[in-house]
Amino acid sequence: MEKLKNKKKLIFALIVAAVVIALGAFSVVVVPAGHTGVQVTLGAVGGDVLQEGMHFKVPFVTNIVVMDNRVLKTEVECSSASKDLQTVSSTIALNYRVGRENSASIYKNVGTNFEAIIVNPAIQECVKSVTAKYTAEELITERQRVGDQMKEALREKITPYGLDIEVFNIISFEFSEEFNAAIEAKQTAQQNALKAEQDLARIKVEAEQKVEQARAEAEAYRLKNEQITDQTLMMEWISKWDGKLPAVAGEGGYMFDVSGFLNGSGSGASNTTPSN
């Protein structure tokens, strides 16, 4: 009989210990790094947000919902129309985070699926509204300004919910094949026009160079002609003379050596008899 009583006491003690352990386990919650804990007591969301670390709560009465406050990323495919009614397909990448002090408010008003409920639809709306302000060509040439306006419009939509934008990127803009062909044709025409202008400029420069060269040559000839006199011609002839005077043929076939007269011999007749 005594053994039965002791056995019952042991069982009861074990049950009590198990209940105490269970109560202790359900009384402690650990909030991981980069997260906050939202206290929900009997369905009511409390205003106090638990920070990282271990916390105690009332078991079975208070529930802790863990909210991720790290940087989150979403990519959205958007289809919109430009100012000139071109179809534009774009891909937007957004990095954002839930503000720690706003965790309870977001959970209370939106829940944990805030990306699908708030963020992605807001991106779609902002992209369409800003894209409609620009032509398709301006979306390409003024991409930075377009992105800044989209980011600012998105900030105005999601900031009141307690969501903070970190990075906003336009990954791509895609247009119809017809528009791409038109852009390519325009670029080709501009390149051809630029090449024609460059060729014209080159031809003009080459023509001016030829004119200047001709002027220089004419000036050189003019200066040279001004320097030519009888004395300079004589000096030029003497510098090229080989020292021999030409022989002159007289009547009857006799040859006269002009050098003989110049040497004072008095006789310029040659003994050469003409051949029959």
Side-chain angles (χ1 to χ4, degrees), residues 53-162:
M54 186 177 70
H55 303 274
F56 293 97
K57 65 183 182 67
V58 179
F60 308 111
V61 175
T62 301
N63 183 33
I64 304 299
V65 178
V66 176
M67 299 288 287
D68 193 346
N69 300 106
R70 297 172 299 179
V71 175
L72 306 174
K73 179 182 179 181
T74 181
E75 285 192 10
V76 181
E77 303 288 336
C78 304
S79 180
S80 54
S82 62
K83 187 177 181 180
D84 52 351
L85 302 182
Q86 294 290 335
T87 300
V88 183
S89 298
S90 55
T91 301
I92 306 299
L94 176 69
N95 290 352
Y96 69 101
R97 70 167 72 237
V98 177
R100 288 179 171 272
E101 66 280 3
N102 299 313
S103 296
S105 175
I106 291 177
Y107 179 74
K108 180 179 181 179
N109 296 311
V110 182
T112 57
N113 196 20
F114 46 82
E115 184 172 293
I117 298 175
I118 300 298
V119 179
N120 292 349
I123 292 175
Q124 292 275 1
E125 175 60 26
C126 293
V127 169
K128 290 181 179 180
S129 63
V130 174
T131 300
K133 299 178 182 179
Y134 294 88
T135 64
E137 188 172 351
E138 288 173 342
L139 290 174
I140 299 174
T141 58
E142 301 185 29
R143 180 168 178 162
Q144 182 62 47
R145 187 169 72 170
V146 171
D148 291 341
Q149 290 187 3
M150 290 180 178
K151 180 180 179 180
E152 186 59 31
L154 181 61
R155 189 189 308 277
E156 292 178 359
K157 284 187 174 295
I158 69 174
T159 298
Y161 292 96

Side-chain angles (χ1 to χ4, degrees), residues 3 5 38 41 126 140 175 201:
K3 290 183 179 180
K5 289 181 179 180
V38 177
T41 303
C126 293
I140 299 174
F175 305 91

Side-chain angles (χ1 to χ4, degrees), residues 232-242 244-246:
T232 58
L233 290 174
M234 178 61 70
M235 293 299 297
E236 182 72 15
W237 182 82
I238 292 174
S239 65
K240 295 182 180 180
W241 183 43
D242 59 0
K244 297 180 180 180
L245 291 176

Side-chain angles (χ1 to χ4, degrees), residues 173-217:
F173 271 138
E174 296 181 1
F175 305 91
S176 64
E177 294 182 0
E178 293 79 6
F179 177 77
N180 291 334
I183 290 294
E184 184 176 355
K186 182 178 180 180
Q187 292 295 325
T188 302
Q190 290 177 346
Q191 291 175 359
N192 291 337
L194 179 60
K195 184 177 183 300
E197 291 179 1
Q198 292 174 344
D199 291 342
L200 181 60
R202 176 179 55 80
I203 293 172
K204 184 177 179 180
V205 171
E206 290 177 352
E208 291 176 351
Q209 290 176 345
K210 290 181 179 180
V211 170
E212 293 299 324
Q213 183 178 359
R215 288 178 180 173
E217 291 178 354

